[in-house]
Amino acid sequence: AVLQSKEAICKRVDEAVKNVWVTDVHTHLYPPSFGDILLWNVDELLTYHYLVAETFRYIDMDYDAFWALSKREQADLIFKTLFIDHSPISESCRGVLTVLQKLGLDPASRDLAAWREYFDQLTVEDYTDKVFELGRIKRVVMTNDPFDDLERPHWEKPQTDARFLAALRIDQLLLHYPENWEKIKGWGYDVDAELSIKAVIEVQRFLRDWAVRMQAQYMAASLPPAFKVPDNTLCARLVEQAVLPVCREMNIPFAMMIGVKKLSNPDLQLAGDSEGKGDIDTVEYLCRTYPHNKFLCTMLARENQHELAVAARKFRNLLVFGCWWFLNNPSLIEEMTRMRIELLGLSVVPQHSDARVLDQLIYKWTHSRRIIAKVLRDKYCDLYDTGWRVTDEEIDRDVDKLFGGAFDDFLALQL
Ligand code: RAT
Ligand code: ZN
């Protein structure tokens, strides 16, 4: 039906965004069958590395002393520091409270012991169902690293939980080939230190084997600000000579997550990475030179966002996704989502969760849905002012695109 007022439009947008089942294109989650490497519960929520970094803003404890604490002790300290000694107004702190609230626990109680008891009574299988239901999550794409000794054994047999799709993560190959080529050789691929032509063919075979085994939706890497192609580096050669040919042959995208300065402060461990501005010319070079390859891209610097959206206007083989990591904050999500929709319409994936802890699916999507709905309300109301009229079905269709449809279309695209 045609929507005849702005009030009706806003109501429909809110409903559509609240109800849509999400495809989350980048997470660090695993199916329950993978056991302990799937993180969940309130202690994991509190010890999320975003909160660890924030805690060190306030405490003078030695880094080593913090890392020597048990997980539960770390969680206690983080809770005391970020929630009791100060009000939890940062986005990551607020996220913990949204999760508790949505689970039906009472944030006002400040009763960490009671919250722990709640989680102690759950099985991971039931809890996974519950989180997917509460968050209205259809599917999540994982981060699957064949170099991870804890994860690799789980791929000896096929993964059958259809809610969890794989992504072949290749940071270790692209950025640490000198440290890793002997490992690859040990797995039966005839590679060498200098990356000879024969080794390139073998790296291709390695990538193909893993992409097939995992049924990878895409290959992905998190890359430094200085990531540059073409270049006479092992990384650039691997991208052009091994990754892109196999991606093309399998018609899967290469996802570039550009702008991480790894271990800017090593004492913070996983929480120690920083960000820097990346090189958009590399993204444009790749899209132009490999028009039959597909590229997913997200960049970590706010300063890259406009040029990245412009690049996507130039190249249909580029799909921009998510407000990554330090950008996953309400003010920046709103700014980026507005700009992207203004430049790219519905051909964008506005958000991914990057959830490392299962429970985070709940808050990351609750918070993001609200902001995306706000932006959409404005955009449809601006349309209304031109005299154009939309139907409720059209709003549903558009929302579906933003929360998964555009990603599915891109995966299916044959160039
Ligand atoms: O957002 C994060 O949790 C980061 O630590 C990274 O995992 C980043 O998203 C990545 O995938 O490298
Ligand atoms: Zn990530």
Side-chain angles (χ1 to χ4, degrees):
V2 176
L3 297 166
Q4 298 292 5
S5 69
K6 288 190 181 177
E7 293 68 37
I9 289 172
C10 291
K11 193 162 164 265
R12 186 64 186 203
V13 168
D14 285 345
E15 276 166 15
V17 171
K18 197 168 135 225
N19 291 331
V20 66
W21 287 84
V22 176
T23 297
D24 191 339
V25 307
H26 170 58
T27 73
H28 297 262
L29 303 175
Y30 305 97
S33 62
F34 279 30
D36 287 349
I37 62 174
L38 168 60
L39 306 180
W40 63 287
N41 77 34
V42 69
D43 285 318
E44 296 294 352
L45 278 174
L46 286 168
T47 53
Y48 186 32
H49 67 87
Y50 293 31
L51 294 182
V52 170
E54 290 171 28
T55 300
F56 275 102
R57 301 288 308 150
Y58 298 120
I59 62 172
D60 58 8
M61 180 186 261
D62 279 349
Y63 293 105
D64 289 344
F66 176 83
W67 294 116
L69 299 175
S70 70
K71 177 148 289 177
R72 181 158 287 207
E73 288 165 337
Q74 290 176 0
D76 286 335
L77 176 63
I78 291 171
F79 187 67
K80 177 177 182 304
T81 308
L82 295 183
F83 292 76
I84 305 300
D85 295 346
H86 307 82
S87 290
I89 59 175
S90 78
E91 175 64 6
S92 317
C93 288
R94 172 187 169 222
V96 175
L97 302 174
T98 300
V99 173
L100 297 172
Q101 182 187 44
K102 295 272 171 189
L103 289 170
L105 301 169
D106 179 15
S109 73
R110 305 188 179 198
D111 190 348
L112 181 51
W115 301 335
R116 281 174 171 150
E117 259 168 49
Y118 168 85
F119 284 96
D120 285 345
Q121 284 158 18
L122 300 169
T123 67
V124 65
E125 289 78 12
D126 291 346
Y127 189 58
T128 303
D129 296 346
K130 186 176 181 115
V131 169
F132 273 67
E133 192 66 35
L134 264 180
R136 291 184 88 76
I137 312 293
K138 183 157 63 175
R139 302 169 304 179
V140 305
V141 182
M142 306 177 274
T143 296
N144 303 105
D145 180 358
F147 294 89
D148 181 339
D149 294 334
L150 295 177
E151 178 177 352
R152 202 175 45 257
H154 293 291
W155 291 104
E156 276 159 19
K157 54 180 191 317
Q159 194 291 106
T160 55
D161 190 330
R163 296 170 298 185
F164 293 84
L165 303 173
L168 175 55
R169 182 76 175 233
I170 52 174
D171 300 21
Q172 290 302 322
L173 174 73
L174 294 184
L175 304 173
H176 303 283
Y177 185 80
E179 300 94 286
N180 282 319
W181 70 269
E182 281 172 307
K183 222 182 222 183
I184 303 174
K185 193 171 165 109
W187 293 329
Y189 300 89
D190 195 7
V191 295
D192 49 38
E194 57 279 8
L195 195 62
S196 65
I197 291 176
K198 179 198 69 193
V200 167
I201 305 285
E202 284 293 277
V203 172
Q204 289 181 0
R205 188 165 67 86
F206 168 78
L207 291 170
R208 194 180 298 114
D209 285 353
W210 273 102
V212 169
R213 176 171 309 148
M214 292 172 167
Q215 292 185 271
Q217 305 298 303
Y218 58 79
M219 293 189 203
S222 121
L223 299 156
F227 174 61
K228 188 170 173 294
V229 186
D231 205 357
N232 197 18
T233 57
L234 285 169
C235 174
R237 286 183 54 209
L238 282 161
V239 168
E240 292 198 82
Q241 297 170 13
V243 174
L244 295 184
V246 178
C247 284
R248 179 171 175 191
E249 162 196 320
M250 300 185 69
N251 197 31
I252 59 176
F254 174 44
M256 300 178 287
M257 306 171 65
I258 305 171
V260 191
K261 282 198 288 202
K262 281 280 167 206
L263 295 181
S264 174
N265 179 357
D267 286 328
L268 280 175
Q269 301 190 9
L270 188 56
D273 301 346
S274 184
E275 62 94 19
K277 192 169 184 295
D279 175 29
I280 196 71
D281 290 340
T282 290
V283 177
E284 293 197 355
Y285 163 83
L286 288 168
C287 294
R288 181 172 59 244
T289 312
Y290 300 96
H292 302 293
N293 273 93
K294 297 185 285 189
F295 299 90
L296 285 159
C297 190
T298 196
M299 296 179 90
L300 197 48
R302 182 190 189 187
E303 294 78 4
N304 281 123
Q305 300 311 320
H306 182 250
E307 58 194 9
L308 178 61
V310 172
R313 291 178 67 87
K314 306 298 132 190
F315 297 102
R316 62 180 175 178
N317 57 340
L318 174 61
L319 182 63
V320 173
F321 74 98
C323 302
W324 184 22
W325 204 341
F326 312 113
L327 295 168
N328 196 358
N329 292 303
S331 60
L332 297 169
I333 298 169
E334 182 168 341
E335 164 186 297
M336 286 167 62
T337 304
R338 268 181 209 284
M339 182 185 63
R340 287 167 167 180
I341 287 178
E342 285 162 8
L343 284 164
L344 299 166
L346 299 161
S347 67
V348 62
V349 178
Q351 193 53 307
H352 69 269
S353 77
D354 235 307
R356 275 177 185 273
V357 182
L358 178 64
D359 326 40
Q360 291 169 340
L361 287 174
I362 300 172
Y363 94 76
K364 298 224 186 197
W365 284 107
T366 302
H367 294 186
S368 292
R369 277 181 209 259
R370 204 171 297 164
I371 300 164
I372 295 167
K374 182 173 171 193
V375 173
L376 284 178
R377 285 197 303 264
D378 286 355
K379 294 299 158 199
Y380 287 113
C381 285
D382 289 348
L383 272 187
Y384 185 88
D385 288 338
T386 70
W388 183 262
R389 294 291 173 267
V390 290
T391 67
D392 42 13
E393 292 86 1
E394 285 167 343
I395 289 182
D396 291 349
R397 174 201 64 194
D398 295 351
V399 166
D400 208 64
K401 273 262 185 282
L402 291 177
F403 286 86
F407 179 69
D408 289 341
D409 292 348
F410 193 69
L411 291 184
L413 184 67
Q414 306 258 6
L415 289 170

